[in-house]
Amino acid sequence: MAKSDDNAVKTRAERSFEKPRMLQTLLVGCLATALFTVFVGLGIWQIERRDWKLDLIAAVEERANADSVKAPMPEAWPDLSFEGDEYRRVTLAGRFLAGADTLARATTDYGYGYWLMTPLNVDGGYTAFINRGFVPSREIAGEIAPPAGDVVVTGLLRMSQPGGGFLRSNDPAAGRWYSRDVEAMAEAEGISLPVAPFFVDAETPVSATSSAEWHVAGSAPTTATRYPIAGLTVTSFRNSHLVYALTWLALAALTLLGAAILVRRRMARGKGR
């Protein structure tokens, strides 16, 4: 009779141990399933992003290297988009608006400085900002006047960049621009004509004065740099989405493997009792 009571006590003890063990195993399974689903979803998303990036790179290369076309007129502006028009090679004709330059912060292979943005009153009754190129300082920018009279500018169409840069907002009142927000730039300069929702990165310098040539201190005249430096538009894009996708999918596989090992060990401990 005592032996039967002992067996009953053991059975109750095993059952009391079995319930939390099963609950823990269930929780581990749920957590592993959730993590697996998230990791697989992120992996699939990165694969989709890779396909999008490859299509973008191909489209940009085709547009940037194609023959230039006339810049879009106002009636075509509502249909413009980053996916369909960014980096398209275009040509504009008109007259620069003197004394209305805007300097937007820039980081290039030449260092930190500014993009020299000048409004062009385009033949056709609207204004488009032209990025005449890179200048290293405000002082140098002030010495580089736009040419007077009729000009023709060829370059890459870029969609307006509203708001500002990373963690930095544009401050029109202080003249601090971290992105090329052409609508806000036009408002700050009091431009009355309709303003294109894009700007154009000029392929070659568009300047009227020879004072754009400057010498680095202590350098020989042959190493003089002419500002603004045009044609610096970056048309190559980093594409690491495949690496990210493989990383997420590997984490998904490791999650399954880890959960399987943990469950197996718990089951083996249960049988050993």
Side-chain angles (χ1 to χ4, degrees):
M1 185 71 178
K3 186 175 181 180
S4 177
D5 292 340
D6 290 343
N7 290 336
V9 171
K10 288 181 180 180
T11 300
R12 286 195 297 271
E14 289 174 353
R15 288 176 179 175
S16 63
F17 175 79
E18 183 71 17
K19 288 182 179 179
R21 186 170 65 85
M22 291 179 62
L23 181 59
Q24 291 175 1
T25 302
L26 180 61
L27 290 175
V28 169
C30 291
L31 178 60
T33 301
L35 289 175
F36 175 79
T37 302
V38 170
F39 290 151
V40 169
L42 289 171
I44 293 174
W45 176 67
Q46 287 294 340
I47 291 174
E48 293 174 347
R49 290 285 295 175
R50 176 178 178 271
D51 293 339
W52 171 82
K53 183 63 73 63
L54 290 174
D55 290 341
L56 173 64
I57 291 173
V60 167
E61 289 180 351
E62 180 180 357
R63 294 173 200 158
N65 295 303
D67 294 336
S68 64
V69 297
K70 186 178 180 180
M73 297 296 286
E75 58 269 19
W77 293 352
D79 297 325
L80 296 179
S81 67
F82 176 90
E83 292 78 8
D85 300 281
E86 184 87 349
Y87 301 102
R88 189 175 302 283
R89 194 161 176 261
V90 297
T91 296
L92 309 90
R95 299 170 67 92
F96 280 113
L97 182 60
D101 292 336
T102 300
L103 299 178
R105 292 295 301 184
T107 302
T108 71
D109 292 339
Y110 293 88
Y112 296 100
Y114 301 90
W115 296 122
L116 182 56
M117 308 289 294
T118 305
L120 179 74
N121 289 338
V122 182
D123 296 341
Y126 71 92
T127 297
F129 273 87
I130 305 300
N131 174 15
R132 290 162 54 204
F134 171 80
V135 292
S137 69
R138 291 181 178 274
E139 291 74 20
I140 292 179
E143 297 293 330
I144 309 173
D150 295 334
V151 296
V152 176
V153 179
T154 297
L156 299 182
L157 182 150
R158 308 291 307 280
M159 300 302 294
S160 182
Q161 303 164 350
F166 180 68
L167 298 179
R168 295 181 295 184
S169 298
N170 293 328
D171 185 354
R176 288 193 290 266
W177 299 92
Y178 301 101
S179 71
R180 288 165 285 185
D181 184 343
V182 294
E183 290 87 353
M185 289 178 176
E187 183 178 353
E189 293 296 334
I191 295 174
S192 58
L193 288 176
V195 179
F198 58 84
F199 59 92
V200 175
D201 286 342
E203 291 181 345
T204 57
V206 187
S207 300
T209 64
S210 60
S211 60
E213 184 169 274
W214 294 79
H215 297 272
V216 178
S219 66
T222 55
T223 61
T225 301
R226 288 190 60 84
Y227 296 111
I229 303 175
L232 297 182
T233 309
V234 176
T235 56
S236 60
F237 303 92
R238 183 181 177 186
N239 188 7
S240 301
H241 296 293
L242 180 59
V243 174
Y244 298 150
L246 293 176
T247 300
W248 289 121
L249 294 176
L251 287 173
L254 289 174
T255 299
L256 281 185
L257 179 61
I261 292 174
L262 185 59
V263 170
R264 183 175 180 181
R265 287 180 177 176
R266 287 183 174 274
M267 292 179 63
R269 288 176 185 175
K271 291 181 180 180
R273 292 182 179 276

